[in-house]
Every structure is written in structure tokens, then in C-alpha cells.
Amino acid sequence: MKFFKRNLYDVMGLTELSLFREKSNVKKFWKESYEEQFKDKESTYEKAIVSMIPELGEYIATGEKLYTQEGPSEVLQLKIPELVSRFHEKWEKMCNEYNQYYRKIVNSLPTSMVEFKKCSIHDAVILDIQKPKEDELIIELDGSSCCYECYRGGNFKILFEGIKLLDMPKNSISKLCLYEEVHLCHEGKFDYRLLLDEGEMRIIADHVQVI
């Protein structure tokens, strides 16, 4: 991904948690969600936090923890407003940069991609991936949790044709779709990139459609 970096997504996950909005409920919420959301992502979240607030790296270097099973440290809680503010500033800048870039290339993209790009697959879950031909790919998704109504009705499939390059995690089934980018390239008519909750997918092809 050139614009939607995983680091920013990790910070988003932190800023969206209600424990960063309702200080009185921090410990209760934390204990309910620690095992599922934080236990296995300690280093990831620490890096994401430090990228926004570098001085917290010095705090970690002394052996202190930003959070434990009991909850976020007082130091982290005090920095929450700054963390959220810096994140939103960077996120808005990134979105503006990508939107400007897309407006510059949209007239050079094939109609099929322009139409496909009108509705995001954000929050769709990958159910199956098939390759009926060497240069074709079908991705089946569950759109019931999509943020966009056009796919929220249930399962749907995306067909990519004329594939020139395909790069994806070894096991993409059950992965959550996050953010998408499309770029121009010399190898095909578009370079489609999809950030997953684990890993990224990249498809250079000539045509795309929902089937």
C-alpha cells in the first residue's frame, strides 16, 4: 500500500476503542477486551503509539509498560487526547493525498475499475478464492458487515480478468478487507491493492466486475 499504511490502521484501532473516550470505563472495558484485542498485539500497538508520540518510546525503553492486563498505564491515558488528535491529522492528510491522486488517474483507468471503485468492500470478509483460469481470479466475500449498503445484502463475488500479477497471503480465507487503493501501472490496466487485517493483496489486471 502506498497511502493506507498498516501503521495508521493500527493507530486507528486504538483511537476507536471506547476506552479512549470513556475514561471512567477504562478498566472495565479493558478487562472485557484484553484477551481478544490486546494480548497478542502488544508490540504492534506499542510501535503504532510510538510512531504518533515518539517520546513514549523513551518510557518503554526504561522497561515500563504502556499497558498490562490490568489496563493502560496512567502515562498512556494522559497521552490519549494527543494520540487521537495526531492520528486524525495524519489520517485526513493521507485520505486527501490519495483522493487527489485518484482524481488525476481516474480518466486513465478502465471503466470496469471506475465502476467497481464507487463502492468500497471495507469490512467484507473473504470466504473463498478460486482461479478458474491462469489469468482469472474470483474472490467470494461476505458483505453482511460492510460499511456500504451496496454489498451489505449478503455474499458476493469479484472477478478479476487479464491478471498480470497476483500477490496475496498464503491463507487469505476469513481475512477482513480494510482499505483499497488503485494505481496505474505499465504491466496491466490497473494495480489494485487491498489491505487485509493480516497481510495485503495486490492484483495487476485488465478488468474487474462484481458477479
Side-chain angles (χ1 to χ4, degrees):
M1 305 291 281
K2 294 183 179 181
F3 292 88
F4 290 90
K5 302 294 187 182
R6 180 165 299 280
N7 170 65
L8 273 180
Y9 171 74
D10 290 333
V11 178
M12 173 186 284
L14 291 166
T15 60
E16 290 299 315
L17 292 171
S18 61
L19 67 94
F20 286 156
R21 296 173 181 162
E22 302 289 341
K23 191 172 181 179
S24 61
N25 293 330
V26 166
K27 289 191 174 181
K28 179 178 182 295
F29 181 88
W30 192 275
K31 288 184 177 181
E32 291 174 350
S33 60
Y34 178 81
E35 291 289 332
E36 180 181 349
Q37 294 180 262
F38 295 94
K39 186 176 181 180
D40 297 328
K41 296 184 177 180
E42 181 173 348
S43 62
T44 297
Y45 281 157
E46 281 188 348
K47 289 177 182 177
I49 293 170
V50 171
S51 72
M52 293 287 110
I53 308 178
E55 57 265 34
L56 287 180
E58 300 174 8
Y59 176 77
I60 296 173
T62 65
E64 298 290 341
K65 293 285 189 180
L66 287 180
Y67 60 82
T68 66
Q69 188 171 358
E70 296 303 312
S73 66
E74 289 187 11
V75 170
L76 178 56
Q77 289 191 48
L78 289 173
K79 288 291 186 179
I80 285 168
E82 184 179 352
L83 177 70
V84 174
S85 176
R86 290 191 181 185
F87 161 74
H88 283 297
E89 181 180 339
K90 286 198 172 187
W91 184 260
E92 184 175 353
K93 180 181 178 182
M94 179 200 66
C95 290
N96 287 337
E97 288 176 349
Y98 177 70
N99 289 336
Q100 288 177 15
Y101 169 78
Y102 183 76
R103 284 194 291 269
K104 288 180 180 179
I105 69 169
V106 66
N107 291 332
S108 300
L109 291 170
T111 303
S112 66
M113 174 51 75
V114 175
E115 289 300 312
F116 175 68
K117 190 74 172 53
K118 289 180 179 179
C119 191
S120 173
I121 61 172
H122 180 70
D123 278 352
V125 177
I126 297 176
L127 299 176
D128 191 25
I129 295 177
Q130 300 175 5
K131 287 200 69 178
K133 295 181 181 179
E134 185 64 27
D135 67 341
E136 290 184 0
L137 183 76
I138 296 177
I139 305 175
E140 182 177 0
L141 302 108
D142 174 5
S144 57
S145 297
C146 269
C147 295
Y148 296 81
E149 292 185 4
C150 51
Y151 295 134
R152 207 179 294 165
N155 298 354
F156 63 98
K157 295 180 181 181
I158 303 171
L159 168 65
F160 289 90
E161 298 175 294
I163 293 176
K164 309 299 189 295
L165 182 147
L166 176 60
D167 186 14
M168 67 175 68
K170 289 184 178 179
N171 185 10
S172 298
I173 307 302
S174 299
K175 296 295 188 290
L176 183 68
C177 300
L178 300 177
Y179 294 96
E180 309 145 84
E181 296 177 3
V182 60
H183 303 269
L184 291 178
C185 63
H186 297 296
E187 298 91 337
K189 294 184 179 179
F190 60 80
D191 181 350
Y192 178 74
R193 304 187 186 190
L194 176 64
L195 183 66
L196 306 172
D197 57 346
E198 294 181 17
E200 296 180 13
M201 185 179 294
R202 184 183 182 191
I203 304 171
I204 294 179
D206 293 333
H207 187 268
V208 60
Q209 65 177 318
V210 176
I211 58 175

